[in-house]
Amino acid sequence: MKKRVLSLLLALVTLFSLAACGPGESENPTDTTPASAPGGENSAQPSADEGWTGETAHIIVTYNTLGTTPPDLQKIQDAVNERTVKEIGVEVEFRATSAYDAFALYPTWIATGERIDLMMPLLQDLRTYVDQGLVEPLDDLIAQNAPYLSQLIEEGQPITSNNKVDGVTYAVLAVPNMFGNNGAFIATKALVDEVDWNYDPDKIYTYDELGELFALIKAAHPEMYPCGVVTTGRTSSEFSYATTTPVDTIAGSPNYTGVLMGADSTEIVNLYETAEYKDYLEHLRAWNQAGYIHPDASTTDSSVNGLQDAGVSAGYFMVGAPVQAGEDDYIINLGPNYIASAGMGGWVVPMTAEEPEAAMRFLNLVWKDAELMNLIQWGIEGEHYVMLDESIGLIGFPDGVDATSSPYYNTLGLWGDTRYGYIWSAAVSQADNDAYTAKSSKLQTQGIGISYSSANVTNEITALAAVAAQYVPALESGSVDLDTYYPQFIQAMKDAGIDAVIADKQAQFNEQHNG
Amino acid sequence: MQNVKQTKALRHPPRKKMRGRWKWYLPFYLMMLPGLLYILINNYLPMAGIVVAFKKVNYRLGLFASPWNGIDNFKFLFKSGSLGTMLRNTILYNVVFIVIGTVLAVAVAIMLNEIRQKFASRLYQTLILMPYLMSMVIVSYLVFAFLSGETGYINNSILKPLGLQPISFYQEQAYWPFILVFVHTWKNIGFTSIVYFAAVVGISKELYESASVEGATKLQQIRHITLPSLKPTVITMFILSISKMFFSDFGLFYQVPKNSGILYPVTQTIDTYVYNALMNQNNPGMSAAAGFIQSIAGCILVILANALIRRISREDAMF
């Protein structure tokens, strides 16, 4: 369980940690709201004309953590309530849950009738929730209670567009501060510089060139395993982190259900059978045999970040977005920037909610009011963070406090409009994010706007999930002989029914793409 | 066995009219009532939930009002084609565990009994019982400390000094049947051998004394006195383990091989497959279907085992 979650966290890093950055001044043309600004100077405005006169509703909201509940959560809850009770008549109660446990807990809670008014099933399959009738449709709720969310949707912010099942909205997502994707290797600056490898941030490198870097680092530090790979508990391919070409799994469906390869492609193919994937595996195998990959890569409990921090590896494969690299890292690009259809997920209203309207008012206010969003996200100014540079919204820890000792530090950015979230590093500004978005926008896959419902092939997908979990960790750590296991893997996928799934997906794609 | 005792105690109920007999039995029924209620509530009531295996669950409608979907929930078990492997692993490992476990545990019990010094005997008992008290998660890390590719004891301290190639244990299927049997035996032998030890201690000393007067050697005593006296205990333990034939020690098969996919052909059991396949799915229908198959197959096995025992030793059979 714990191991599986590590890969969950990796995926999560790409999706959500983006909240950690984003200065106040957005150049996004869709930004027309005066209420949101750095430091939230204008945030008092909505309350001025919207004082709540009705009854106060109590709502229970899930609060995702990475395992430890921040000790000051109650304090934040009180501070939030001080505003929300007055302005929208909502009293919030946060229900802290570890994201590790949420997979099992949330459906059980709803199934057993436990009351939750607002829930964030982080990285879980929204369609399962909808299929089993666990969540409420949101279209009317948003229209009647959340004018600001409606406005964002009209402006084209994808906060609900990825979360429709059969045309009905079921979840609301934080406003992203960046779009796009590209395969990359995040590498420790000091090591790359030490071996005199000519790093060029704009160049797209090949796997062979990357292999040369590994060879140089291995020669200089024989005790190191430069290519940081950890596949423990990996349940599907992480090829997209290292991809040389745009990959679109269609609205976040698992990549063993077929993908589009390349920006122009309209043909659903089995990712695992493509030449690009085979090439990736062959390099991993060669790197493993050359000693560039940790011998326990498929069984260790360490994370790729842990290996890099400990000086065991020189880096790892990850989306090449600005936020992914620390100040001591280079982003070695392996593929072009592109935008693919986004995954599903976000805040849902479970069927056990008692105050769905109040829940919507709360979402509306947090999305609208940057000050409230930053309060939930980063805590109380002066106590949990100090403002370093108000013009770009740069914050830091108060004296004597760090990430581990802070009584309120939660990096899961799941709230509000992340473009107005405070940032912790001047190296990652909203300008960088916008540049990445602009670069990615030039290459968009054919899968954008398409959704996929796997209801017809549930059994095949369950079987495929088991096959992927069986072979992917060994293959993607280069631990086993490809001649023996790769054909076995492909055959096992066929036996599990990959062809039926691809045909089903292709049919749905064709219908929506032409229509 | 309980049945046997009870019928003995009740062999002669007073032969009066039906009403009188009923009165005579009443206290016994009353005594049975709490246990009966417990079994009804705990074991029989939840059985209604078996319908979940045949439904497409929709919580809005409720479990019982959800639409039926025939045997759709069962299909995923057959889709991957690994059902045969799972069944084979689950059953074969259990058979090996039962055979090796019994033989070794009886041997250890007899040896413990031969240790005359009380303190030493107690010390050894405690020492072999220790692994039984450990969590499988801890055991899995002990095993990892031996087998790891980078820091493992076997690779670094045995194979390397001998100039041999390191072995990637977690990627090589051939070793695992032995590793799993070894780990299981090491962990459980302490507990089972104590059960047998208690039986060995209970054998009358006079039997041994008269045997040694007759000039029987130690081995002859063991063969003709100890082993025959242990037979009922062995059979009881056998029946107990047979009933769990279709369930595997999840920790042993999931934690110890570190859920390494390449090892599945020799480590995957029904429990681990269901766990792996459904962890992401939150599908109660499919989980119930897997549990349903497990219970039905387990039930059939118990009946078969009982038939077998009835042939070998009629009075030890359960029904």
Side-chain angles (χ1 to χ4, degrees):
Chain A
M1 177 67 203
K2 191 182 153 204
K3 278 164 266 148
R4 200 182 54 72
V5 163
L6 282 174
S7 61
L8 178 157
L9 286 182
L10 272 180
L12 192 145
V13 164
T14 35
L15 279 177
F16 293 105
S17 71
L18 308 170
C21 52
E25 283 162 355
S26 169
E27 284 161 19
N28 193 321
T30 61
D31 171 32
T32 53
T33 58
S36 328
E41 306 102 276
N42 298 324
S43 55
Q45 197 188 332
S47 59
D49 48 358
E50 277 181 33
W52 188 258
T53 48
E55 260 179 65
T56 299
H58 183 88
I59 62 169
I60 299 173
V61 180
T62 62
Y63 181 92
N64 287 284
T65 71
L66 289 179
T68 32
T69 304
D72 277 2
L73 181 59
Q74 182 65 42
K75 219 181 235 180
I76 304 302
Q77 184 179 313
D78 295 343
V80 169
N81 282 334
E82 217 165 275
R83 301 233 2 231
T84 53
V85 171
K86 249 190 301 182
E87 292 172 28
I88 51 171
V90 173
E91 187 189 28
V92 180
E93 178 188 335
F94 286 124
R95 178 75 49 90
T97 340
S98 159
Y100 307 119
D101 303 333
F103 276 87
L105 276 183
Y106 286 2
T108 320
W109 279 353
I110 308 178
T112 53
E114 173 125 4
R115 179 196 164 189
I116 303 284
D117 297 286
L118 205 51
M119 176 181 270
M120 168 56 108
L122 201 57
L123 295 180
Q124 300 187 42
D125 186 1
L126 182 63
R127 282 191 195 86
T128 323
Y129 279 73
V130 176
D131 277 354
Q132 299 179 358
L134 295 172
V135 292
E136 301 282 351
L138 296 184
D139 295 288
D140 291 347
L141 280 171
I142 293 176
Q144 287 159 17
N145 301 288
Y148 184 69
L149 294 183
S150 305
Q151 188 187 329
L152 282 174
I153 294 166
E154 247 167 64
E155 284 166 10
Q157 287 295 346
I159 55 173
T160 57
S161 52
N162 299 322
N163 294 320
K164 293 190 182 204
V165 176
D166 301 330
V168 180
T169 306
Y170 285 97
V172 177
L173 196 64
V175 181
N177 55 12
M178 187 217 79
F179 292 98
N181 210 333
N182 80 308
F185 189 84
I186 311 289
T188 310
K189 267 184 191 172
L191 286 165
V192 178
D193 292 340
E194 181 193 328
V195 297
D196 264 343
W197 196 64
N198 289 319
Y199 170 68
D200 175 356
D202 295 322
K203 184 177 167 182
I204 291 177
Y205 289 87
T206 65
Y207 291 147
D208 290 328
E209 287 167 322
L210 187 63
E212 288 161 20
L213 171 67
F214 294 152
L216 290 172
I217 295 176
K218 184 78 182 175
H221 300 276
E223 78 291 352
M224 281 185 73
Y225 302 102
C227 181
V229 173
V230 173
T231 59
T232 315
R234 195 177 279 188
T235 51
S236 69
S237 176
E238 287 183 7
F239 174 68
S240 69
Y241 292 157
T243 184
T244 51
T245 181
V247 183
D248 192 332
T249 64
I250 308 296
S253 47
N255 59 23
Y256 42 76
T257 59
V259 299
L260 297 172
M261 288 296 268
D264 302 325
S265 172
T266 54
E267 191 196 354
I268 307 285
V269 294
N270 180 1
L271 168 72
Y272 299 89
E273 273 190 285
T274 59
E276 289 90 342
Y277 183 73
K278 183 87 193 291
D279 183 46
Y280 167 68
L281 288 189
E282 277 164 356
H283 280 89
L284 286 167
R285 178 63 179 156
W287 291 336
N288 186 306
Q289 289 189 309
Y292 304 159
I293 293 179
H294 197 284
D296 293 329
S298 66
T299 44
T300 179
D301 289 329
S302 313
S303 66
V304 284
N305 303 71
L307 289 181
Q308 191 195 21
D309 291 347
V312 175
S313 80
Y316 49 90
F317 294 102
M318 185 42 74
V319 176
V323 66
Q324 299 298 345
E327 285 172 22
D328 305 324
D329 294 321
Y330 283 136
I331 297 176
I332 299 171
N333 292 308
L334 300 170
N337 287 32
Y338 64 95
I339 296 183
S341 60
M344 305 174 89
W347 291 94
V348 300
V349 175
M351 62 175 258
T352 53
E354 282 172 21
E355 300 277 2
E357 291 88 7
M360 276 299 132
R361 292 204 299 273
F362 177 65
L363 272 193
N364 189 60
L365 186 65
V366 178
W367 264 239
K368 181 178 184 178
D369 188 324
E371 193 185 28
L372 192 58
M373 183 263 285
N374 277 311
L375 171 65
I376 301 175
Q377 183 69 56
W378 302 123
I380 298 163
E381 185 174 356
E383 199 168 329
H384 304 117
Y385 66 87
V386 289
M387 184 61 72
L388 299 177
D389 183 348
E390 197 152 349
S391 66
I392 58 167
L394 178 67
I395 57 172
F397 284 114
D399 282 342
V401 177
D402 62 24
T404 47
S405 68
S406 171
Y408 194 83
Y409 183 68
N410 186 349
T411 50
L412 289 174
L414 313 172
W415 300 93
D417 193 332
T418 61
R419 291 171 296 171
Y420 307 115
Y422 296 148
I423 56 172
W424 290 79
S425 159
V428 185
S429 65
Q430 187 57 33
D432 293 333
N433 289 331
D434 291 342
Y436 192 84
T437 305
K439 206 170 158 191
S440 301
S441 305
K442 291 177 193 147
L443 197 57
Q444 304 201 8
T445 67
Q446 302 297 311
I448 291 174
I450 311 273
S451 73
Y452 172 59
S453 161
S454 59
N456 303 329
V457 286
T458 330
N459 277 293
E460 282 82 357
I461 287 179
T462 308
L464 282 168
V467 172
Q470 174 173 358
Y471 288 95
V472 164
L475 290 172
E476 294 195 358
S477 58
S479 311
V480 290
D481 181 33
L482 283 186
D483 293 339
T484 318
Y485 288 102
Y486 181 71
Q488 264 185 32
F489 174 39
I490 299 301
Q491 187 56 44
M493 292 194 89
K494 289 204 192 310
D495 294 345
I498 179 82
D499 295 331
V501 177
I502 286 179
D504 179 56
K505 204 169 185 177
Q506 183 77 58
Q508 294 188 30
F509 177 86
N510 291 346
E511 200 174 291
Q512 299 176 44
H513 193 254
N514 302 330
Chain B
M1 277 195 325
Q2 262 176 334
N3 289 342
V4 177
K5 270 180 202 155
Q6 268 177 16
T7 38
K8 264 179 199 164
L10 301 174
R11 191 161 288 160
H12 303 294
R15 288 193 186 153
K16 289 186 199 162
K17 284 171 280 175
M18 278 303 280
R19 201 193 293 166
R21 219 146 92 180
W22 182 84
K23 246 185 197 163
W24 196 84
Y25 279 125
L26 187 65
F28 295 101
Y29 282 121
L30 277 179
M31 276 157 73
M32 205 165 85
L33 197 63
L36 216 57
L37 276 179
Y38 169 81
I39 288 187
L40 264 180
I41 294 170
N42 195 60
N43 297 12
Y44 281 83
L45 216 54
M47 275 192 193
I50 216 158
V51 296
V52 175
F54 303 94
K55 294 218 169 205
K56 183 181 185 302
V57 174
N58 185 325
Y59 289 105
R60 207 169 284 272
L61 303 172
L63 280 187
F64 293 99
S66 293
W68 298 94
N69 69 347
I71 54 160
D72 273 6
N73 288 334
F74 293 84
K75 285 185 183 153
F76 86 102
L77 278 171
F78 303 92
K79 268 278 181 296
S80 69
S82 48
L83 188 70
T85 318
M86 289 180 251
L87 288 178
R88 183 200 67 196
N89 285 345
T90 314
I91 294 175
L92 276 190
Y93 275 117
N94 273 323
V95 167
V96 174
F97 290 163
I98 291 172
V99 172
I100 294 190
T102 311
V103 171
L104 284 181
V106 169
V108 168
I110 293 172
M111 286 191 276
L112 275 177
N113 189 45
E114 297 303 326
I115 298 171
R116 288 285 153 252
Q117 207 187 351
K118 253 227 160 87
F119 174 75
S121 169
R122 290 270 177 277
L123 180 71
Y124 296 144
Q125 268 182 55
T126 315
L127 284 181
I128 56 169
L129 190 62
M130 289 277 239
Y132 184 75
L133 306 173
M134 266 182 222
S135 143
M136 253 318 166
V137 179
I138 295 172
V139 172
S140 79
Y141 283 95
L142 286 178
V143 173
F144 187 66
F146 275 93
L147 304 183
S148 149
E150 209 216 351
T151 50
Y153 177 76
I154 294 182
N155 277 325
N156 280 305
S157 307
I158 297 179
L159 295 179
K160 217 188 243 171
L162 291 175
L164 295 171
Q165 279 294 312
I167 298 171
S168 309
F169 282 102
Y170 289 92
Q171 320 294 346
E172 296 277 351
Q173 296 166 9
Y175 302 103
W176 282 88
F178 302 101
I179 296 172
L180 289 176
V181 170
F182 180 84
V183 171
H184 180 269
T185 312
W186 170 79
K187 188 169 174 353
N188 289 296
I189 195 167
F191 181 73
T192 34
S193 68
I194 280 183
V195 175
Y196 291 119
F197 181 59
V200 172
V201 170
I203 301 169
S204 164
K205 289 274 172 295
E206 289 164 24
L207 284 173
Y208 292 104
E209 276 162 22
S210 50
S212 55
V213 169
E214 298 285 337
T217 64
K218 203 92 230 176
L219 278 178
Q220 280 170 325
Q221 289 178 21
I222 289 172
R223 199 171 145 211
H224 296 289
I225 302 172
T226 319
L227 288 182
S229 320
L230 280 179
K231 196 178 128 197
T233 320
V234 170
I235 289 176
T236 311
M237 295 291 279
F238 178 68
I239 295 176
L240 284 178
S241 17
I242 281 283
S243 65
K244 290 186 219 135
M245 194 79 167
F246 247 84
F247 297 84
S248 60
D249 182 345
F250 181 78
L252 179 69
F253 292 94
Y254 183 82
Q255 304 281 2
V256 175
K258 299 236 155 220
N259 197 24
S260 174
I262 289 302
L263 303 177
Y264 283 175
V266 292
T267 61
Q268 191 162 57
T269 61
I270 302 169
D271 299 88
T272 60
Y273 177 79
V274 169
Y275 181 84
N276 280 325
L278 296 176
M279 257 320 279
N280 279 320
Q281 307 282 326
N282 278 330
N283 190 326
M286 288 186 184
S287 312
F292 180 78
I293 289 212
Q294 234 176 347
S295 314
I296 296 295
C299 182
I300 293 172
L301 260 186
V302 168
I303 293 171
L304 287 180
N306 190 66
L308 184 75
I309 290 168
R310 206 162 40 201
R311 287 199 154 195
I312 301 169
S313 152
R314 202 174 177 79
E315 69 268 25
D316 285 312
M318 285 183 288
F319 46 84

